[in-house]
Protein backbone atom coordinates (compact mmCIF):
# COMPACT_ATOMS: atom_id res chain seq x y z
CA UNK A 1 0.00 0.00 0.00
CA UNK A 2 1.07 3.59 -0.48
CA UNK A 3 2.35 5.23 2.67
CA UNK A 4 2.38 8.94 3.58
CA UNK A 5 5.73 9.57 5.22
CA UNK A 6 5.41 13.27 5.96
CA UNK A 7 5.19 16.74 4.56
CA UNK A 8 7.33 19.68 3.53
CA UNK A 9 6.03 23.21 3.14
CA UNK A 10 7.97 26.01 1.55
CA UNK A 11 7.70 29.54 0.26
CA UNK A 12 7.80 29.71 -3.56
CA UNK A 13 9.11 33.24 -4.26
CA UNK A 14 10.40 33.36 -7.89
CA UNK A 15 13.57 35.33 -7.07
CA UNK A 16 14.80 32.16 -5.29
CA UNK A 17 15.16 30.72 -8.82
CA UNK A 18 17.34 33.67 -9.77
CA UNK A 19 19.51 33.21 -6.67
CA UNK A 20 19.97 29.53 -7.58
CA UNK A 21 20.84 30.37 -11.21
CA UNK A 22 23.43 32.90 -9.99
CA UNK A 23 24.80 30.60 -7.25
CA UNK A 24 23.99 33.07 -4.50
CA UNK A 25 23.05 30.48 -1.86
CA UNK A 26 25.82 31.69 0.46
CA UNK A 27 25.36 35.44 -0.01
CA UNK A 28 24.44 37.13 3.29
CA UNK A 29 20.93 37.94 2.03
CA UNK A 30 20.19 34.36 0.94
CA UNK A 31 22.20 32.18 3.31
CA UNK A 32 19.73 32.13 6.25
CA UNK A 33 17.01 31.00 3.87
CA UNK A 34 18.98 28.35 1.94
CA UNK A 35 20.52 26.91 5.15
CA UNK A 36 16.95 26.16 6.20
CA UNK A 37 16.97 23.45 3.52
CA UNK A 38 19.92 21.50 4.93
CA UNK A 39 17.59 19.63 7.23
CA UNK A 40 15.13 19.04 4.38
CA UNK A 41 17.90 17.47 2.28
CA UNK A 42 18.91 15.15 5.13
CA UNK A 43 15.29 14.17 5.71
CA UNK A 44 14.72 13.42 2.01
CA UNK A 45 17.93 11.39 1.83
CA UNK A 46 16.80 9.37 4.85
CA UNK A 47 13.11 8.95 3.98
CA UNK A 48 13.49 8.47 0.21
CA UNK A 49 10.02 9.43 -1.01
CA UNK A 50 9.22 8.43 -4.59
CA UNK A 51 6.03 10.50 -4.99
CA UNK A 52 5.30 14.11 -4.06
CA UNK A 53 1.68 15.27 -3.98
CA UNK A 54 2.02 19.03 -4.31
CA UNK A 55 -0.66 21.51 -3.19
CA UNK A 56 0.03 24.85 -4.85
CA UNK A 57 -1.63 27.82 -6.51
CA UNK A 58 -1.21 28.63 -10.17
CA UNK A 59 -0.34 32.30 -10.83
CA UNK A 60 -1.57 32.60 -14.41
CA UNK A 61 0.59 30.12 -16.34
CA UNK A 62 -1.83 27.21 -16.71
CA UNK A 63 -5.04 28.92 -15.60
CA UNK A 64 -5.99 32.55 -15.94
CA UNK A 65 -8.80 34.74 -14.62
CA UNK A 66 -10.97 33.80 -17.60
CA UNK A 67 -11.18 30.16 -16.42
CA UNK A 68 -9.96 29.42 -12.93
CA UNK A 69 -10.96 26.22 -11.14
CA UNK A 70 -11.18 26.28 -7.35
CA UNK A 71 -9.50 22.85 -7.22
CA UNK A 72 -7.70 21.09 -10.09
CA UNK A 73 -5.76 17.83 -10.08
CA UNK A 74 -3.08 16.93 -12.61
CA UNK A 75 -3.40 13.53 -14.29
CA UNK A 76 -0.58 13.82 -16.83
CA UNK A 77 2.46 11.68 -17.66
CA UNK A 78 4.63 14.75 -17.46
CA UNK A 79 4.40 18.37 -16.29
CA UNK A 80 6.23 21.14 -18.10
CA UNK A 81 7.15 24.63 -16.95
CA UNK A 82 7.27 27.67 -19.24
CA UNK A 83 8.74 31.16 -19.00
CA UNK A 84 6.46 33.18 -16.71
CA UNK A 85 8.41 36.41 -17.22
CA UNK A 86 10.28 36.38 -13.90
CA UNK A 87 13.68 36.15 -15.62
CA UNK A 88 14.43 32.72 -14.18
CA UNK A 89 15.44 29.58 -16.09
CA UNK A 90 12.63 27.33 -17.26
CA UNK A 91 12.58 24.21 -15.09
CA UNK A 92 13.06 20.67 -16.40
CA UNK A 93 9.80 18.75 -16.86
CA UNK A 94 8.74 16.48 -14.00
CA UNK A 95 7.16 13.05 -14.50
CA UNK A 96 3.68 12.34 -13.18
CA UNK A 97 1.90 9.20 -11.96
CA UNK A 98 -1.43 9.26 -13.82
CA UNK A 99 -2.80 6.11 -12.15
CA UNK A 100 -2.31 7.61 -8.69
CA UNK A 101 -3.75 10.91 -9.93
CA UNK A 102 -6.92 9.18 -11.14
CA UNK A 103 -7.20 7.29 -7.85
CA UNK A 104 -6.99 10.60 -5.97
CA UNK A 105 -9.51 12.22 -8.34
CA UNK A 106 -11.92 9.31 -7.81
CA UNK A 107 -11.55 9.67 -4.04
CA UNK A 108 -12.12 13.42 -4.16
CA UNK A 109 -15.24 13.17 -6.32
CA UNK A 110 -16.60 10.38 -4.09
CA UNK A 111 -16.07 12.79 -1.19
CA UNK A 112 -18.05 15.47 -3.10
CA UNK A 113 -15.07 17.58 -4.22
CA UNK A 114 -15.98 18.15 -7.87
CA UNK A 115 -12.49 18.88 -9.12
CA UNK A 116 -11.19 19.87 -12.54
CA UNK A 117 -9.17 17.02 -14.07
CA UNK A 118 -6.12 18.03 -16.09
CA UNK A 119 -4.48 15.56 -18.47
CA UNK A 120 -2.36 18.43 -19.70
CA UNK A 121 -1.11 20.92 -17.12
CA UNK A 122 1.76 23.39 -16.98
CA UNK A 123 3.36 23.88 -13.58
CA UNK A 124 4.51 27.35 -12.53
CA UNK A 125 7.04 28.67 -9.99
CA UNK A 126 4.80 27.53 -7.14
CA UNK A 127 5.83 23.95 -8.00
CA UNK A 128 9.24 24.41 -9.63
CA UNK A 129 10.85 26.59 -6.93
CA UNK A 130 10.11 24.22 -4.02
CA UNK A 131 11.23 21.29 -6.23
CA UNK A 132 14.53 23.06 -7.00
CA UNK A 133 15.01 23.80 -3.30
CA UNK A 134 14.36 20.20 -2.27
CA UNK A 135 16.41 18.54 -5.04
CA UNK A 136 19.01 21.07 -6.23
CA UNK A 137 21.05 18.42 -8.08
CA UNK A 138 18.13 17.16 -10.12
CA UNK A 139 16.84 20.67 -10.79
CA UNK A 140 20.08 21.94 -12.33
CA UNK A 141 19.52 22.87 -15.95
CA UNK A 142 22.54 20.89 -17.11
CA UNK A 143 21.77 17.79 -15.03
CA UNK A 144 22.42 14.67 -17.08
CA UNK A 145 19.63 12.18 -17.72
CA UNK A 146 21.47 10.00 -15.16
CA UNK A 147 20.19 12.36 -12.47
CA UNK A 148 16.43 12.44 -12.88
CA UNK A 149 13.99 13.89 -10.36
CA UNK A 150 13.82 11.36 -7.52
CA UNK A 151 10.04 11.75 -7.26
CA UNK A 152 7.09 11.73 -9.61
CA UNK A 153 4.46 14.32 -8.77
CA UNK A 154 0.71 14.74 -8.50
CA UNK A 155 0.02 18.50 -8.61
CA UNK A 156 -3.15 19.70 -6.87
CA UNK A 157 -3.98 23.31 -7.64
CA UNK A 158 -5.98 25.51 -5.26
CA UNK A 159 -7.30 28.91 -6.31
CA UNK A 160 -5.76 31.59 -4.09
CA UNK A 161 -5.97 34.26 -6.79
CA UNK A 162 -9.56 35.06 -7.82
CA UNK A 163 -12.10 35.63 -5.03
CA UNK A 164 -14.19 33.95 -3.76
CA UNK A 165 -11.52 31.54 -2.48
CA UNK A 166 -12.23 28.23 -0.77
CA UNK A 167 -12.21 28.44 3.03
CA UNK A 168 -9.42 27.17 5.29
CA UNK A 169 -11.80 24.47 6.55
CA UNK A 170 -12.55 23.36 2.99
CA UNK A 171 -8.85 23.08 2.13
CA UNK A 172 -8.17 21.07 5.29
CA UNK A 173 -10.98 18.68 4.25
CA UNK A 174 -9.63 18.54 0.69
CA UNK A 175 -6.27 17.47 2.08
CA UNK A 176 -7.90 14.82 4.29
CA UNK A 177 -9.70 13.37 1.30
CA UNK A 178 -6.44 13.25 -0.69
CA UNK A 179 -4.71 11.60 2.27
CA UNK A 180 -7.39 8.88 2.52
CA UNK A 181 -7.14 8.24 -1.22
CA UNK A 182 -3.36 7.90 -1.12
CA UNK A 183 -3.53 5.42 1.75
CA UNK A 184 -5.95 3.23 -0.14
CA UNK A 185 -3.72 3.06 -3.22
CA UNK A 186 -2.40 -0.50 -3.64
CA UNK A 187 1.10 0.23 -5.00
CA UNK A 188 4.01 0.28 -2.58
CA UNK A 189 4.84 3.99 -2.73
CA UNK A 190 6.52 6.35 -0.29
CA UNK A 191 4.51 9.53 -0.61
CA UNK A 192 5.42 12.95 0.69
CA UNK A 193 2.98 15.86 0.75
CA UNK A 194 4.13 19.34 -0.24
CA UNK A 195 2.39 22.66 0.43
CA UNK A 196 3.79 25.80 -1.20
CA UNK A 197 3.54 29.57 -0.81
CA UNK A 198 3.14 31.94 2.11
CA UNK A 199 3.65 32.93 4.72
CA UNK A 200 2.47 36.52 5.15
CA UNK A 201 2.96 38.73 2.10
CA UNK A 202 1.24 41.29 -0.06
CA UNK A 203 2.64 42.15 -3.47
CA UNK A 204 0.56 45.16 -4.48
CA UNK A 205 -1.82 47.88 -3.33
CA UNK A 206 -1.47 50.21 -0.35
CA UNK A 207 -0.14 47.45 1.89
CA UNK A 208 2.50 46.15 -0.57
CA UNK A 209 5.36 44.69 1.48
CA UNK A 210 3.06 43.87 4.43
CA UNK A 211 4.42 41.09 6.70
CA UNK A 212 2.96 39.91 10.04
CA UNK A 213 5.51 38.00 12.09
CA UNK A 214 3.20 37.41 15.07
CA UNK A 215 0.45 35.97 12.92
CA UNK A 216 2.92 33.75 11.02
CA UNK A 217 4.18 32.37 14.32
CA UNK A 218 0.60 31.71 15.40
CA UNK A 219 -0.01 29.79 12.15
CA UNK A 220 3.18 27.73 12.43
CA UNK A 221 2.42 26.92 16.07
CA UNK A 222 -1.13 25.75 15.35
CA UNK A 223 -1.04 24.11 11.94
CA UNK A 224 0.83 21.04 13.26
CA UNK A 225 -1.30 19.98 16.23
CA UNK A 226 -4.55 21.93 15.98
CA UNK A 227 -5.19 23.14 12.42
CA UNK A 228 -8.91 23.49 13.26
CA UNK A 229 -8.06 26.62 15.27
CA UNK A 230 -7.00 28.28 12.01
CA UNK A 231 -10.28 27.40 10.29
CA UNK A 232 -12.03 29.99 12.50
CA UNK A 233 -10.54 32.72 10.31
CA UNK A 234 -12.53 33.80 7.26
CA UNK A 235 -10.64 34.51 4.04
CA UNK A 236 -11.16 38.23 4.65
CA UNK A 237 -9.70 37.91 8.16
CA UNK A 238 -6.78 36.07 6.58
CA UNK A 239 -6.11 38.82 4.05
CA UNK A 240 -6.18 41.34 6.88
CA UNK A 241 -3.80 39.35 9.09
CA UNK A 242 -1.51 37.82 6.47
CA UNK A 243 -1.73 40.05 3.38
CA UNK A 244 -3.47 39.55 0.05
CA UNK A 245 -1.08 36.77 -0.97
CA UNK A 246 -0.81 35.33 2.55
CA UNK A 247 -3.88 33.32 1.53
CA UNK A 248 -1.42 30.91 -0.11
CA UNK A 249 -1.54 29.33 3.34
CA UNK A 250 -4.55 27.43 1.94
CA UNK A 251 -1.94 25.13 0.33
CA UNK A 252 -0.39 24.53 3.74
CA UNK A 253 -3.80 23.66 5.21
CA UNK A 254 -4.40 21.08 2.46
CA UNK A 255 -0.91 19.63 2.99
CA UNK A 256 -1.59 19.34 6.72
CA UNK A 257 -4.96 17.70 6.06
CA UNK A 258 -3.31 15.01 3.93
CA UNK A 259 -1.10 13.97 6.86
CA UNK A 260 -3.52 11.45 8.30
CA UNK A 261 -1.54 10.04 11.24
CA UNK A 262 0.22 11.49 14.26
CA UNK A 263 1.93 14.65 13.01
CA UNK A 264 4.94 16.31 14.56
CA UNK A 265 7.19 19.16 13.50
CA UNK A 266 10.73 17.99 12.76
CA UNK A 267 12.06 21.26 11.40
CA UNK A 268 11.12 24.93 11.05
CA UNK A 269 12.97 27.82 9.46
CA UNK A 270 11.41 31.30 9.37
CA UNK A 271 13.19 34.20 7.76
CA UNK A 272 12.16 37.77 6.85
CA UNK A 273 12.17 38.86 4.12
CA UNK A 274 12.75 37.00 0.91
CA UNK A 275 11.64 39.50 -1.69
CA UNK A 276 8.26 40.68 -0.29
CA UNK A 277 7.59 37.53 1.64
CA UNK A 278 8.03 36.07 5.13
CA UNK A 279 9.76 32.85 4.10
CA UNK A 280 9.00 29.65 5.98
CA UNK A 281 10.23 26.09 5.51
CA UNK A 282 8.93 23.19 7.60
CA UNK A 283 9.20 19.40 7.71
CA UNK A 284 6.43 17.37 9.34
CA UNK A 285 6.57 13.72 10.19
CA UNK A 286 3.46 11.56 9.74
CA UNK A 287 3.35 8.45 11.92
CA UNK A 288 0.67 5.80 11.86
CA UNK A 289 -0.99 4.75 15.12
CA UNK A 290 0.49 1.23 14.83
CA UNK A 291 4.05 2.55 14.39
CA UNK A 292 3.72 4.73 17.47
CA UNK A 293 2.62 1.76 19.56
CA UNK A 294 5.50 -0.37 18.28
CA UNK A 295 8.08 2.37 18.95
C1 LIG B 1 6.60 36.86 -4.51
C2 LIG B 1 5.86 35.97 -3.70
C3 LIG B 1 4.99 35.05 -4.30
O1 LIG B 1 4.23 34.17 -3.59
C4 LIG B 1 4.86 34.99 -5.68
O2 LIG B 1 4.03 34.05 -6.20
C5 LIG B 1 5.57 35.88 -6.47
C6 LIG B 1 6.44 36.82 -5.89
C7 LIG B 1 7.56 37.84 -3.89
O3 LIG B 1 7.61 37.99 -2.66
O4 LIG B 1 8.28 38.47 -4.66
FE1 LIG C 1 2.82 33.08 -4.89
Amino acid sequence: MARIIGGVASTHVPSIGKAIAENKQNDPYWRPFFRGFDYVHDWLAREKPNIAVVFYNDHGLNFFLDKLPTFAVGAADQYRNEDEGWGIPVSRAIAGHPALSWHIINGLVADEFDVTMCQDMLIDHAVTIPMALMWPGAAAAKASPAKPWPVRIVPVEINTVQHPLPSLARCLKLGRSVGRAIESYPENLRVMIVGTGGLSHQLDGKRAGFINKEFDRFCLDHVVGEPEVLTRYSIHDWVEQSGAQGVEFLNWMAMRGALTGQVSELHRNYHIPISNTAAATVVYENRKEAERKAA
Side-chain angles (χ1 to χ4, degrees):
M1 296 300 273
R3 200 172 140 218
I4 301 169
I5 57 174
V8 171
S10 163
T11 300
H12 61 222
V13 176
S15 58
I16 296 165
K18 201 149 194 278
I20 293 172
E22 294 171 1
N23 258 317
K24 290 193 169 156
Q25 291 89 335
N26 283 314
D27 279 18
Y29 179 88
W30 290 103
R31 192 178 163 77
F33 171 72
F34 278 98
R35 287 282 68 81
F37 274 82
D38 292 347
Y39 184 94
V40 181
H41 298 155
D42 291 347
W43 184 78
L44 291 170
R46 193 166 70 233
E47 295 295 332
K48 297 186 178 53
N50 43 27
I51 298 283
V53 173
V54 185
F55 293 98
Y56 76 106
N57 58 295
D58 183 87
H59 299 70
L61 180 67
N62 191 73
F63 302 113
F64 199 60
L65 302 181
D66 58 339
K67 298 178 205 73
L68 186 44
T70 299
F71 301 125
V73 183
D77 283 330
Q78 168 162 282
Y79 300 93
R80 279 191 312 104
N81 175 225
E82 279 180 3
D83 187 358
E84 298 171 67
W86 295 105
I88 59 178
V90 170
S91 164
R92 298 169 69 205
I94 307 170
H97 190 313
L100 176 61
S101 289
W102 285 114
H103 184 79
I104 290 172
I105 291 166
N106 273 297
L108 282 166
V109 175
D111 281 346
E112 301 180 350
F113 285 95
D114 304 319
V115 296
T116 299
M117 309 156 216
C118 303
Q119 299 195 59
D120 188 11
M121 193 186 204
L122 292 171
I123 45 167
D124 78 355
H125 66 273
V127 177
T128 61
I129 296 290
M131 289 292 292
L133 285 163
M134 289 189 284
W135 292 285
K142 293 193 194 87
S144 67
K147 197 150 203 191
W149 294 104
V151 293
R152 287 183 281 168
I153 62 169
V154 175
V156 183
E157 186 269 351
I158 298 179
N159 166 35
T160 72
V161 173
Q162 172 70 68
H163 291 255
L165 309 185
S167 67
L168 288 132
R170 186 77 175 141
C171 292
L172 187 63
K173 284 186 193 154
L174 176 92
R176 286 183 175 147
S177 176
V178 169
R180 281 194 297 274
I182 294 167
E183 288 187 321
S184 66
Y185 190 69
E187 194 181 338
N188 238 344
L189 297 171
R190 291 179 65 76
V191 182
M192 68 181 290
I193 314 291
V194 180
T196 92
L199 291 179
S200 59
H201 63 302
Q202 170 142 347
L203 300 180
D204 51 17
K206 281 196 189 124
R207 292 203 308 166
F210 174 82
I211 278 175
N212 187 344
K213 197 173 169 179
E214 288 70 35
F215 188 69
D216 288 339
R217 180 187 295 267
F218 175 78
C219 295
L220 290 168
D221 287 348
H222 285 83
V223 69
V224 190
E226 31 184 13
E228 291 79 10
V229 168
L230 304 176
T231 66
R232 293 181 201 146
Y233 287 81
S234 71
I235 292 295
H236 284 97
D237 294 336
W238 207 272
V239 169
E240 197 176 337
Q241 293 294 326
S242 189
Q245 279 71 43
V247 293
E248 290 179 344
F249 195 77
L250 291 176
N251 301 319
W252 287 55
M253 285 299 271
M255 175 274 293
R256 174 60 188 83
L259 303 177
T260 49
Q262 177 73 20
V263 181
S264 51
E265 182 184 274
L266 297 177
H267 172 68
R268 178 195 297 194
N269 186 45
Y270 181 80
H271 177 70
I272 296 175
I274 289 299
S275 186
N276 292 295
T277 300
T281 309
V282 299
V283 179
Y284 297 153
E285 178 184 52
N286 182 56
R287 292 182 81 187
K288 296 268 107 196
E289 193 68 27
E291 289 168 11
R292 269 191 299 137
K293 283 190 184 132

Short mmCIF file of all heavy atoms in Angstrom, two decimals, residues 12 59 125 248, ligand 2:
data_model
loop_
_atom_site.label_atom_id
_atom_site.label_comp_id
_atom_site.label_asym_id
_atom_site.label_seq_id
_atom_site.Cartn_x
_atom_site.Cartn_y
_atom_site.Cartn_z
N HIS A 12 7.46 29.97 -2.15
CA HIS A 12 7.80 29.71 -3.56
C HIS A 12 8.21 30.97 -4.33
O HIS A 12 8.05 31.04 -5.56
CB HIS A 12 6.64 28.97 -4.26
CG HIS A 12 5.35 29.74 -4.28
ND1 HIS A 12 4.12 29.14 -4.05
CD2 HIS A 12 5.07 31.05 -4.53
CE1 HIS A 12 3.17 30.05 -4.15
NE2 HIS A 12 3.72 31.21 -4.45
N HIS A 59 -0.33 30.84 -10.80
CA HIS A 59 -0.34 32.30 -10.83
C HIS A 59 -0.62 32.85 -12.22
O HIS A 59 -0.22 33.96 -12.54
CB HIS A 59 1.00 32.86 -10.36
CG HIS A 59 1.39 32.50 -8.96
ND1 HIS A 59 1.74 31.23 -8.58
CD2 HIS A 59 1.52 33.27 -7.85
CE1 HIS A 59 2.07 31.23 -7.29
NE2 HIS A 59 1.94 32.44 -6.84
N HIS A 125 6.00 28.57 -11.02
CA HIS A 125 7.04 28.67 -9.99
C HIS A 125 6.59 28.12 -8.63
O HIS A 125 7.43 27.78 -7.81
CB HIS A 125 7.51 30.14 -9.84
CG HIS A 125 6.47 31.08 -9.31
ND1 HIS A 125 5.56 31.73 -10.11
CD2 HIS A 125 6.20 31.47 -8.05
CE1 HIS A 125 4.78 32.50 -9.36
NE2 HIS A 125 5.14 32.36 -8.10
N GLU A 248 -2.08 32.14 0.39
CA GLU A 248 -1.42 30.91 -0.11
C GLU A 248 -1.30 29.87 0.99
O GLU A 248 -1.01 28.70 0.73
CB GLU A 248 -0.04 31.26 -0.69
CG GLU A 248 -0.17 32.02 -1.99
CD GLU A 248 1.17 32.43 -2.61
OE1 GLU A 248 2.20 32.38 -1.91
OE2 GLU A 248 1.18 32.81 -3.79
FE1 LIG B 2 2.82 33.08 -4.89
#
